[in-house]
Amino acid sequence: MKHTEVFEKIIEEQLARIERIKQNQTPVDYTSLDKIIIGVIGGDGIGPTITAHARRVLEEILKEEILAGKVEFRTIDGCTIENRHAAGKAIPDDVLEEIKKCHVLLKGPTTTPRKGDKWANVESANVTMRKELDLFANVRPVKVPDLGIDWTFFRENTECLYAMGSSGIHVTDDLAVDFRVITTPGTERIARLAFEYARRNGKKKVTIVTKANVVKATDGKFLDVCKAVAKEYPDIETDDWYIDIMTAKLLDEKRRREFEVFILPNLYGDILTDEAAELQGGVGTAGSANLGTRYAMFEAIHGSAPRMVEEGREAYADPSSVIRAGAMLLSHIGYQEHGEKLLEAIETCTIKERKIVVTGRPDGATGAEMADYILEKVRG
Ligand code: IPM
Ligand code: MG
């Protein structure tokens, strides 16, 4: 295909996607469903182990709802790097079909092939799932009470450099081009979600992060659209920062306390949330919600740590971030009380009390012990 034709195809695909976004604005009301199906995807490396701990915690908390037939847990096998490699697909078709029969998903980390390793160079399973299920919002809370940090990041999850991340072109041996996509309805929906969240949770300030001084078309649009949405929320203060100085300000002990809610395009959100999570104790401590209108997926933000498995240490992997993702799942499907209770228990165990500590090595507690400790706090 000629490069101009590739470009034409991309534009057509994105214009069609915009129409789909416009037609798909009403979120599912989980409380109106007879039964909520929670799919559990173990993933790779330490994924199956830590996800099993999280499932055990959720199953105990939802014991009555499961008995009453209101909630069902379903195991989704096959989302492993071996199967994805064999199928030559980011998510094999049969696995995707099973995933689409669920309402919400709890997902362990999945290995993303990188250039030069032994795996077929398929797209990241995360990225594919976010696109396939149109999970447009990646919500990542980071809290460090001692430092006065209480942030919630609303990372746009389907556009930016991720929309066409695997569709860039090598024009000649010397020239490679990738495509960055920002759309008006795609930006509107993430901005609205962030402002609604701010309003519902008594937050006073929303911060928009771009590099609109340099990346004028796409970041310019993102900033303009967010500002237009902000006008509908005059009770909330809005400011905007460039990504470079924002990364610095997260380390500024005085200024950073002022920030509450952030809205970012996909890649800046990816990077800034890792920095933020590090301040909380590392990416292993953070959970993340990937929200769409029909589906939602909850996951840890760390990777699959294959080295821990190679060295036989997976029993010592920290399940707290995927359990935290589980707490977000509970709140999202209408069990706010359960969700808040679980979150409080996680914070007691991992931040306040720390009676046992997971280090990832045999000198620390096992993941099973951490899950038991958290359950003990939930039971009260
Ligand atoms: C994340 C991860 C993914 C991303 C990777 C695994 C593709 O870093 O969830 O933040 O870049 O979004
Ligand atoms: Mg990331």
PDB file of all heavy atoms in Angstrom, residues 107 110-112 123-127 130 138 140 155 157 162 266-267 269-271 273-274 288 290 299-303, ligand 1:
ATOM      1  N   LYS A 107      -8.001  -7.727  36.136  1.00  0.00           N
ATOM      2  CA  LYS A 107      -6.952  -8.224  35.249  1.00  0.00           C
ATOM      3  C   LYS A 107      -5.564  -8.163  35.879  1.00  0.00           C
ATOM      4  O   LYS A 107      -5.175  -7.141  36.443  1.00  0.00           O
ATOM      5  CB  LYS A 107      -6.969  -7.402  33.960  1.00  0.00           C
ATOM      6  CG  LYS A 107      -5.927  -7.799  32.964  1.00  0.00           C
ATOM      7  CD  LYS A 107      -5.977  -6.910  31.743  1.00  0.00           C
ATOM      8  CE  LYS A 107      -4.668  -6.918  31.023  1.00  0.00           C
ATOM      9  NZ  LYS A 107      -3.539  -6.401  31.805  1.00  0.00           N
ATOM     10  N   THR A 110      -0.132  -8.300  31.938  1.00  0.00           N
ATOM     11  CA  THR A 110       0.166  -9.138  30.780  1.00  0.00           C
ATOM     12  C   THR A 110       1.462  -8.633  30.153  1.00  0.00           C
ATOM     13  O   THR A 110       1.676  -7.425  30.068  1.00  0.00           O
ATOM     14  CB  THR A 110      -0.983  -9.047  29.749  1.00  0.00           C
ATOM     15  OG1 THR A 110      -1.427  -7.690  29.667  1.00  0.00           O
ATOM     16  CG2 THR A 110      -2.164  -9.903  30.142  1.00  0.00           C
ATOM     17  N   THR A 111       2.301  -9.564  29.763  1.00  0.00           N
ATOM     18  CA  THR A 111       3.601  -9.194  29.197  1.00  0.00           C
ATOM     19  C   THR A 111       3.418  -8.497  27.850  1.00  0.00           C
ATOM     20  O   THR A 111       2.677  -8.979  26.999  1.00  0.00           O
ATOM     21  CB  THR A 111       4.471 -10.460  29.014  1.00  0.00           C
ATOM     22  OG1 THR A 111       4.694 -11.014  30.307  1.00  0.00           O
ATOM     23  CG2 THR A 111       5.805 -10.140  28.352  1.00  0.00           C
ATOM     24  N   THR A 112       4.074  -7.357  27.682  1.00  0.00           N
ATOM     25  CA  THR A 112       4.043  -6.662  26.396  1.00  0.00           C
ATOM     26  C   THR A 112       5.337  -6.970  25.658  1.00  0.00           C
ATOM     27  O   THR A 112       6.416  -6.658  26.164  1.00  0.00           O
ATOM     28  CB  THR A 112       3.913  -5.139  26.610  1.00  0.00           C
ATOM     29  OG1 THR A 112       2.721  -4.881  27.353  1.00  0.00           O
ATOM     30  CG2 THR A 112       3.849  -4.399  25.282  1.00  0.00           C
ATOM     31  N   GLU A 123       0.574  -6.331  19.524  1.00  0.00           N
ATOM     32  CA  GLU A 123       0.290  -5.131  20.310  1.00  0.00           C
ATOM     33  C   GLU A 123       0.083  -5.540  21.778  1.00  0.00           C
ATOM     34  O   GLU A 123      -0.278  -6.671  22.074  1.00  0.00           O
ATOM     35  CB  GLU A 123      -0.992  -4.473  19.768  1.00  0.00           C
ATOM     36  CG  GLU A 123      -1.226  -3.077  20.304  1.00  0.00           C
ATOM     37  CD  GLU A 123      -2.443  -2.412  19.646  1.00  0.00           C
ATOM     38  OE1 GLU A 123      -3.518  -3.016  19.625  1.00  0.00           O
ATOM     39  OE2 GLU A 123      -2.287  -1.290  19.158  1.00  0.00           O
ATOM     40  N   SER A 124       0.297  -4.603  22.685  1.00  0.00           N
ATOM     41  CA  SER A 124       0.063  -4.869  24.101  1.00  0.00           C
ATOM     42  C   SER A 124      -1.388  -5.299  24.333  1.00  0.00           C
ATOM     43  O   SER A 124      -2.323  -4.739  23.742  1.00  0.00           O
ATOM     44  CB  SER A 124       0.368  -3.590  24.885  1.00  0.00           C
ATOM     45  OG  SER A 124      -0.622  -3.338  25.851  1.00  0.00           O
ATOM     46  N   ALA A 125      -1.580  -6.329  25.181  1.00  0.00           N
ATOM     47  CA  ALA A 125      -2.944  -6.802  25.471  1.00  0.00           C
ATOM     48  C   ALA A 125      -3.757  -5.694  26.138  1.00  0.00           C
ATOM     49  O   ALA A 125      -4.954  -5.553  25.892  1.00  0.00           O
ATOM     50  CB  ALA A 125      -2.902  -8.038  26.362  1.00  0.00           C
ATOM     51  N   ASN A 126      -3.085  -4.900  26.981  1.00  0.00           N
ATOM     52  CA  ASN A 126      -3.777  -3.777  27.645  1.00  0.00           C
ATOM     53  C   ASN A 126      -4.343  -2.808  26.629  1.00  0.00           C
ATOM     54  O   ASN A 126      -5.498  -2.423  26.686  1.00  0.00           O
ATOM     55  CB  ASN A 126      -2.802  -2.945  28.484  1.00  0.00           C
ATOM     56  CG  ASN A 126      -2.405  -3.629  29.735  1.00  0.00           C
ATOM     57  OD1 ASN A 126      -2.195  -4.827  29.723  1.00  0.00           O
ATOM     58  ND2 ASN A 126      -2.310  -2.883  30.814  1.00  0.00           N
ATOM     59  N   VAL A 127      -3.451  -2.402  25.742  1.00  0.00           N
ATOM     60  CA  VAL A 127      -3.844  -1.389  24.767  1.00  0.00           C
ATOM     61  C   VAL A 127      -4.992  -1.918  23.911  1.00  0.00           C
ATOM     62  O   VAL A 127      -5.973  -1.233  23.653  1.00  0.00           O
ATOM     63  CB  VAL A 127      -2.625  -0.973  23.917  1.00  0.00           C
ATOM     64  CG1 VAL A 127      -3.025  -0.051  22.786  1.00  0.00           C
ATOM     65  CG2 VAL A 127      -1.573  -0.303  24.799  1.00  0.00           C
ATOM     66  N   ARG A 130      -8.249  -2.054  25.900  1.00  0.00           N
ATOM     67  CA  ARG A 130      -8.793  -0.701  26.061  1.00  0.00           C
ATOM     68  C   ARG A 130      -9.490  -0.247  24.781  1.00  0.00           C
ATOM     69  O   ARG A 130     -10.542   0.381  24.834  1.00  0.00           O
ATOM     70  CB  ARG A 130      -7.664   0.273  26.435  1.00  0.00           C
ATOM     71  CG  ARG A 130      -7.098   0.027  27.829  1.00  0.00           C
ATOM     72  CD  ARG A 130      -5.792   0.778  28.028  1.00  0.00           C
ATOM     73  NE  ARG A 130      -5.160   0.439  29.303  1.00  0.00           N
ATOM     74  CZ  ARG A 130      -3.914   0.750  29.615  1.00  0.00           C
ATOM     75  NH1 ARG A 130      -3.154   1.414  28.747  1.00  0.00           N
ATOM     76  NH2 ARG A 130      -3.414   0.420  30.789  1.00  0.00           N
ATOM     77  N   ASN A 138      -8.783   6.144  32.076  1.00  0.00           N
ATOM     78  CA  ASN A 138      -7.927   5.412  32.985  1.00  0.00           C
ATOM     79  C   ASN A 138      -7.809   6.251  34.255  1.00  0.00           C
ATOM     80  O   ASN A 138      -7.186   7.311  34.250  1.00  0.00           O
ATOM     81  CB  ASN A 138      -6.562   5.201  32.329  1.00  0.00           C
ATOM     82  CG  ASN A 138      -5.761   4.129  33.031  1.00  0.00           C
ATOM     83  OD1 ASN A 138      -5.792   4.032  34.251  1.00  0.00           O
ATOM     84  ND2 ASN A 138      -5.053   3.331  32.266  1.00  0.00           N
ATOM     85  N   ARG A 140      -6.589   6.816  37.963  1.00  0.00           N
ATOM     86  CA  ARG A 140      -5.523   6.342  38.849  1.00  0.00           C
ATOM     87  C   ARG A 140      -5.388   7.236  40.075  1.00  0.00           C
ATOM     88  O   ARG A 140      -4.857   8.338  39.981  1.00  0.00           O
ATOM     89  CB  ARG A 140      -4.195   6.280  38.088  1.00  0.00           C
ATOM     90  CG  ARG A 140      -4.249   5.313  36.929  1.00  0.00           C
ATOM     91  CD  ARG A 140      -2.954   5.154  36.179  1.00  0.00           C
ATOM     92  NE  ARG A 140      -2.999   3.931  35.396  1.00  0.00           N
ATOM     93  CZ  ARG A 140      -2.037   3.510  34.601  1.00  0.00           C
ATOM     94  NH1 ARG A 140      -0.926   4.207  34.482  1.00  0.00           N
ATOM     95  NH2 ARG A 140      -2.166   2.388  33.926  1.00  0.00           N
ATOM     96  N   ARG A 155      -6.586   9.807  32.988  1.00  0.00           N
ATOM     97  CA  ARG A 155      -5.764   9.647  31.789  1.00  0.00           C
ATOM     98  C   ARG A 155      -6.655   9.173  30.646  1.00  0.00           C
ATOM     99  O   ARG A 155      -7.307   8.128  30.768  1.00  0.00           O
ATOM    100  CB  ARG A 155      -4.676   8.610  32.095  1.00  0.00           C
ATOM    101  CG  ARG A 155      -4.027   8.030  30.878  1.00  0.00           C
ATOM    102  CD  ARG A 155      -3.048   6.915  31.263  1.00  0.00           C
ATOM    103  NE  ARG A 155      -2.531   6.278  30.070  1.00  0.00           N
ATOM    104  CZ  ARG A 155      -1.836   5.146  30.058  1.00  0.00           C
ATOM    105  NH1 ARG A 155      -1.567   4.513  31.191  1.00  0.00           N
ATOM    106  NH2 ARG A 155      -1.403   4.635  28.936  1.00  0.00           N
ATOM    107  N   ASN A 157      -7.540   7.185  27.497  1.00  0.00           N
ATOM    108  CA  ASN A 157      -7.006   5.827  27.438  1.00  0.00           C
ATOM    109  C   ASN A 157      -7.059   5.175  26.058  1.00  0.00           C
ATOM    110  O   ASN A 157      -6.688   4.025  25.914  1.00  0.00           O
ATOM    111  CB  ASN A 157      -7.838   4.978  28.427  1.00  0.00           C
ATOM    112  CG  ASN A 157      -7.065   3.873  29.090  1.00  0.00           C
ATOM    113  OD1 ASN A 157      -5.840   3.917  29.126  1.00  0.00           O
ATOM    114  ND2 ASN A 157      -7.764   2.897  29.605  1.00  0.00           N
ATOM    115  N   TYR A 162      -1.238   6.237  21.402  1.00  0.00           N
ATOM    116  CA  TYR A 162      -1.665   4.844  21.548  1.00  0.00           C
ATOM    117  C   TYR A 162      -2.663   4.414  20.472  1.00  0.00           C
ATOM    118  O   TYR A 162      -2.799   3.229  20.193  1.00  0.00           O
ATOM    119  CB  TYR A 162      -2.307   4.633  22.923  1.00  0.00           C
ATOM    120  CG  TYR A 162      -1.317   4.553  24.049  1.00  0.00           C
ATOM    121  CD1 TYR A 162      -0.623   5.686  24.456  1.00  0.00           C
ATOM    122  CD2 TYR A 162      -1.078   3.358  24.714  1.00  0.00           C
ATOM    123  CE1 TYR A 162       0.288   5.619  25.497  1.00  0.00           C
ATOM    124  CE2 TYR A 162      -0.175   3.291  25.761  1.00  0.00           C
ATOM    125  CZ  TYR A 162       0.504   4.421  26.153  1.00  0.00           C
ATOM    126  OH  TYR A 162       1.395   4.357  27.182  1.00  0.00           O
ATOM    127  N   ASN A 266      -3.243  10.463  26.719  1.00  0.00           N
ATOM    128  CA  ASN A 266      -2.803   9.119  27.076  1.00  0.00           C
ATOM    129  C   ASN A 266      -1.324   8.993  27.496  1.00  0.00           C
ATOM    130  O   ASN A 266      -1.022   8.533  28.600  1.00  0.00           O
ATOM    131  CB  ASN A 266      -3.083   8.227  25.849  1.00  0.00           C
ATOM    132  CG  ASN A 266      -3.348   6.794  26.222  1.00  0.00           C
ATOM    133  OD1 ASN A 266      -3.003   6.376  27.299  1.00  0.00           O
ATOM    134  ND2 ASN A 266      -3.970   6.049  25.333  1.00  0.00           N
ATOM    135  N   LEU A 267      -0.406   9.407  26.647  1.00  0.00           N
ATOM    136  CA  LEU A 267       1.013   9.151  26.944  1.00  0.00           C
ATOM    137  C   LEU A 267       1.513   9.960  28.143  1.00  0.00           C
ATOM    138  O   LEU A 267       2.228   9.433  29.005  1.00  0.00           O
ATOM    139  CB  LEU A 267       1.891   9.436  25.715  1.00  0.00           C
ATOM    140  CG  LEU A 267       3.374   9.096  25.922  1.00  0.00           C
ATOM    141  CD1 LEU A 267       3.587   7.601  26.132  1.00  0.00           C
ATOM    142  CD2 LEU A 267       4.213   9.553  24.740  1.00  0.00           C
ATOM    143  N   GLY A 269      -0.257  10.861  30.536  1.00  0.00           N
ATOM    144  CA  GLY A 269      -0.910  10.217  31.685  1.00  0.00           C
ATOM    145  C   GLY A 269      -0.176   8.954  32.089  1.00  0.00           C
ATOM    146  O   GLY A 269      -0.016   8.661  33.273  1.00  0.00           O
ATOM    147  N   ASP A 270       0.295   8.218  31.102  1.00  0.00           N
ATOM    148  CA  ASP A 270       1.056   6.994  31.373  1.00  0.00           C
ATOM    149  C   ASP A 270       2.293   7.333  32.200  1.00  0.00           C
ATOM    150  O   ASP A 270       2.577   6.714  33.228  1.00  0.00           O
ATOM    151  CB  ASP A 270       1.459   6.357  30.033  1.00  0.00           C
ATOM    152  CG  ASP A 270       2.326   5.127  30.220  1.00  0.00           C
ATOM    153  OD1 ASP A 270       1.974   4.298  31.076  1.00  0.00           O
ATOM    154  OD2 ASP A 270       3.347   5.011  29.517  1.00  0.00           O
ATOM    155  N   ILE A 271       3.000   8.351  31.775  1.00  0.00           N
ATOM    156  CA  ILE A 271       4.279   8.698  32.403  1.00  0.00           C
ATOM    157  C   ILE A 271       4.063   9.344  33.781  1.00  0.00           C
ATOM    158  O   ILE A 271       4.662   8.942  34.779  1.00  0.00           O
ATOM    159  CB  ILE A 271       5.074   9.641  31.478  1.00  0.00           C
ATOM    160  CG1 ILE A 271       5.410   8.905  30.167  1.00  0.00           C
ATOM    161  CG2 ILE A 271       6.346  10.130  32.174  1.00  0.00           C
ATOM    162  CD1 ILE A 271       5.906   9.802  29.052  1.00  0.00           C
ATOM    163  N   THR A 273       1.596   9.183  35.839  1.00  0.00           N
ATOM    164  CA  THR A 273       1.036   8.329  36.889  1.00  0.00           C
ATOM    165  C   THR A 273       2.086   7.371  37.458  1.00  0.00           C
ATOM    166  O   THR A 273       1.993   6.980  38.619  1.00  0.00           O
ATOM    167  CB  THR A 273      -0.192   7.530  36.405  1.00  0.00           C
ATOM    168  OG1 THR A 273       0.129   6.823  35.200  1.00  0.00           O
ATOM    169  CG2 THR A 273      -1.373   8.454  36.151  1.00  0.00           C
ATOM    170  N   ASP A 274       3.082   7.003  36.669  1.00  0.00           N
ATOM    171  CA  ASP A 274       4.172   6.202  37.236  1.00  0.00           C
ATOM    172  C   ASP A 274       4.975   7.045  38.226  1.00  0.00           C
ATOM    173  O   ASP A 274       5.361   6.584  39.303  1.00  0.00           O
ATOM    174  CB  ASP A 274       5.119   5.676  36.140  1.00  0.00           C
ATOM    175  CG  ASP A 274       4.704   4.289  35.625  1.00  0.00           C
ATOM    176  OD1 ASP A 274       3.555   3.876  35.893  1.00  0.00           O
ATOM    177  OD2 ASP A 274       5.522   3.635  34.954  1.00  0.00           O
ATOM    178  N   SER A 288      -5.638   0.684  39.130  1.00  0.00           N
ATOM    179  CA  SER A 288      -6.157   1.575  38.115  1.00  0.00           C
ATOM    180  C   SER A 288      -7.454   1.044  37.527  1.00  0.00           C
ATOM    181  O   SER A 288      -7.652  -0.158  37.394  1.00  0.00           O
ATOM    182  CB  SER A 288      -5.077   1.843  37.074  1.00  0.00           C
ATOM    183  OG  SER A 288      -5.358   1.309  35.836  1.00  0.00           O
ATOM    184  N   ASN A 290     -10.046   1.173  34.320  1.00  0.00           N
ATOM    185  CA  ASN A 290     -10.194   1.500  32.898  1.00  0.00           C
ATOM    186  C   ASN A 290     -11.684   1.472  32.605  1.00  0.00           C
ATOM    187  O   ASN A 290     -12.299   0.406  32.581  1.00  0.00           O
ATOM    188  CB  ASN A 290      -9.493   0.450  32.037  1.00  0.00           C
ATOM    189  CG  ASN A 290      -7.992   0.437  32.263  1.00  0.00           C
ATOM    190  OD1 ASN A 290      -7.237   1.033  31.513  1.00  0.00           O
ATOM    191  ND2 ASN A 290      -7.550  -0.239  33.313  1.00  0.00           N
ATOM    192  N   GLU A 299      -7.101  -3.028  37.039  1.00  0.00           N
ATOM    193  CA  GLU A 299      -5.810  -3.724  37.005  1.00  0.00           C
ATOM    194  C   GLU A 299      -4.772  -3.013  37.876  1.00  0.00           C
ATOM    195  O   GLU A 299      -4.956  -1.864  38.272  1.00  0.00           O
ATOM    196  CB  GLU A 299      -5.298  -3.799  35.565  1.00  0.00           C
ATOM    197  CG  GLU A 299      -5.059  -2.420  34.973  1.00  0.00           C
ATOM    198  CD  GLU A 299      -4.559  -2.430  33.535  1.00  0.00           C
ATOM    199  OE1 GLU A 299      -4.133  -3.482  33.044  1.00  0.00           O
ATOM    200  OE2 GLU A 299      -4.578  -1.359  32.913  1.00  0.00           O
ATOM    201  N   ALA A 300      -3.703  -3.746  38.134  1.00  0.00           N
ATOM    202  CA  ALA A 300      -2.543  -3.142  38.774  1.00  0.00           C
ATOM    203  C   ALA A 300      -1.816  -2.332  37.710  1.00  0.00           C
ATOM    204  O   ALA A 300      -1.972  -2.612  36.532  1.00  0.00           O
ATOM    205  CB  ALA A 300      -1.637  -4.256  39.284  1.00  0.00           C
ATOM    206  N   ILE A 301      -1.014  -1.343  38.097  1.00  0.00           N
ATOM    207  CA  ILE A 301      -0.326  -0.626  37.021  1.00  0.00           C
ATOM    208  C   ILE A 301       1.111  -1.106  36.815  1.00  0.00           C
ATOM    209  O   ILE A 301       1.834  -0.589  36.000  1.00  0.00           O
ATOM    210  CB  ILE A 301      -0.425   0.926  37.129  1.00  0.00           C
ATOM    211  CG1 ILE A 301       0.569   1.513  38.111  1.00  0.00           C
ATOM    212  CG2 ILE A 301      -1.812   1.385  37.451  1.00  0.00           C
ATOM    213  CD1 ILE A 301       0.659   3.046  37.970  1.00  0.00           C
ATOM    214  N   HIS A 302       1.492  -2.156  37.533  1.00  0.00           N
ATOM    215  CA  HIS A 302       2.850  -2.669  37.323  1.00  0.00           C
ATOM    216  C   HIS A 302       2.853  -3.785  36.277  1.00  0.00           C
ATOM    217  O   HIS A 302       1.801  -4.224  35.829  1.00  0.00           O
ATOM    218  CB  HIS A 302       3.438  -3.171  38.645  1.00  0.00           C
ATOM    219  CG  HIS A 302       2.586  -4.220  39.303  1.00  0.00           C
ATOM    220  ND1 HIS A 302       2.504  -5.494  38.816  1.00  0.00           N
ATOM    221  CD2 HIS A 302       1.781  -4.175  40.386  1.00  0.00           C
ATOM    222  CE1 HIS A 302       1.692  -6.189  39.588  1.00  0.00           C
ATOM    223  NE2 HIS A 302       1.223  -5.414  40.533  1.00  0.00           N
ATOM    224  N   GLY A 303       4.041  -4.252  35.927  1.00  0.00           N
ATOM    225  CA  GLY A 303       4.173  -5.284  34.898  1.00  0.00           C
ATOM    226  C   GLY A 303       4.109  -6.695  35.476  1.00  0.00           C
ATOM    227  O   GLY A 303       3.787  -6.897  36.656  1.00  0.00           O
TER     228      GLY A 303
HETATM  229  C1  IPM B   1       0.115   1.152  31.823  1.00  0.00           C
HETATM  230  C2  IPM B   1       1.185   0.383  31.088  1.00  0.00           C
HETATM  231  C3  IPM B   1       0.745   0.163  29.651  1.00  0.00           C
HETATM  232  C4  IPM B   1       0.573   1.521  29.008  1.00  0.00           C
HETATM  233  C5  IPM B   1       1.706  -0.722  28.842  1.00  0.00           C
HETATM  234  C6  IPM B   1       1.842  -2.082  29.465  1.00  0.00           C
HETATM  235  C7  IPM B   1       1.302  -0.841  27.403  1.00  0.00           C
HETATM  236  O1  IPM B   1       2.386   1.069  31.155  1.00  0.00           O
HETATM  237  O2  IPM B   1      -0.999   0.617  31.975  1.00  0.00           O
HETATM  238  O3  IPM B   1       0.374   2.260  32.267  1.00  0.00           O
HETATM  239  O4  IPM B   1       1.514   2.084  28.456  1.00  0.00           O
HETATM  240  O5  IPM B   1      -0.544   2.034  29.051  1.00  0.00           O
END
